[in-house]
């Protein structure tokens, strides 16, 4: 069975306030995504097993909450060594490093970090996170209309945007 060329992998815990931003992004995009082009996966955190989800993709986008002073960031990732001795809580770059060691060169991958402020257990989504999610959703809708090459160009353009 063929896989969709683009994987959108969202991480986050809906019980921890703004940590839900990744999964909420996928919820906001759900009715506009063509499953033949984009596959969506949601999990609380990244695990080594997610390397299997990356196989045969042309592009991977990791959506997650980010503690940052910007609305959102969209950056190209490079594989990195995992700093943990367990198979839990890998960063996207570490997951790419595990992929490289198991399967060879990973597909082009990007981190879509959406700015959040409040990550306490039981917290609601903060007003800032709600605003950031709306802007990130608009960006993602436009982004996912393109090809993997268009996504790469968007990442390069985002890297050149002034703060």
């Amino acid at each position: 069975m063929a896989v969709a060329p683009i994987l959108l992998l969202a991480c986050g815990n809906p019980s921890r306030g703004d940590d839900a931003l990744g999964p909420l992004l996928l919820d906001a995009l759900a009715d506009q995504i063509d499953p033949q082009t984009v596959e969506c996966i949601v999990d609380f955190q990244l695990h080594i097993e997610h390397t299997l989800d990356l196989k045969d993709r042309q592009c991977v986008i990791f959506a997650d909450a980010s503690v940052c002073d910007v609305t959102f960031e969209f950056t190209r990732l490079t594989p990195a060594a995992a700093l943990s001795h367990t198979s839990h809580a890998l960063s996207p770059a570490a997951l790419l490093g595990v992929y490289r060691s198991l399967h060879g060169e990973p597909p082009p991958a990007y981190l879509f970090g959406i700015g959040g402020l409040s990550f306490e257990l039981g917290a609601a989504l903060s007003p800032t996170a709600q605003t950031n999610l709306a802007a990130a959703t608009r960006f993602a809708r436009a982004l996912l209309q393109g090809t993997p090459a268009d996504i790469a160009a968007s990442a390069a353009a985002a890297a050149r945007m002034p703060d």
Side-chain angles (χ1 to χ4, degrees):
M1 182 171 143
V3 299
I6 300 170
L7 174 63
L8 183 50
L9 180 52
C11 293
N13 183 341
S15 297
R16 291 196 167 272
D18 295 354
D19 197 44
L21 283 165
L24 288 172
L25 176 69
L26 267 60
D27 288 347
L29 297 171
D31 63 345
Q32 300 166 17
I33 290 179
D34 176 2
Q36 293 183 337
T37 305
V38 180
E39 181 178 355
C40 297
I41 296 175
V42 175
D43 209 332
F44 283 126
Q45 60 188 3
L46 296 174
H47 304 280
I48 289 174
E49 293 83 1
H50 285 115
T51 59
L52 298 174
D53 298 314
L54 277 57
K55 289 187 80 165
D56 301 320
R57 305 294 179 166
Q58 294 177 24
C59 175
V60 178
I61 301 169
F62 296 93
D64 199 0
S66 177
V67 180
C68 61
D69 293 332
V70 296
T71 304
F72 63 84
E73 299 173 308
F74 188 76
T75 56
R76 177 81 187 254
L77 292 167
T78 55
L83 300 176
S84 171
H85 296 294
T86 71
S87 62
H88 299 285
L90 292 171
S91 71
L95 183 67
L96 295 175
V98 171
Y99 184 97
R100 179 186 274 167
S101 68
L102 295 173
H103 307 291
E105 203 55 34
Y110 305 88
L111 178 60
F112 192 3
I114 306 168
L117 301 172
S118 175
F119 296 89
E120 294 81 25
L121 185 61
L125 197 65
S126 72
T128 298
Q130 291 174 25
T131 300
N132 293 349
L133 177 61
T137 301
R138 288 189 297 275
F139 177 82
R141 281 186 186 129
L143 183 72
L144 294 174
Q145 297 302 312
T147 65
D150 295 331
I151 293 170
S154 292
R160 291 190 301 270
M161 281 192 241
D163 288 339

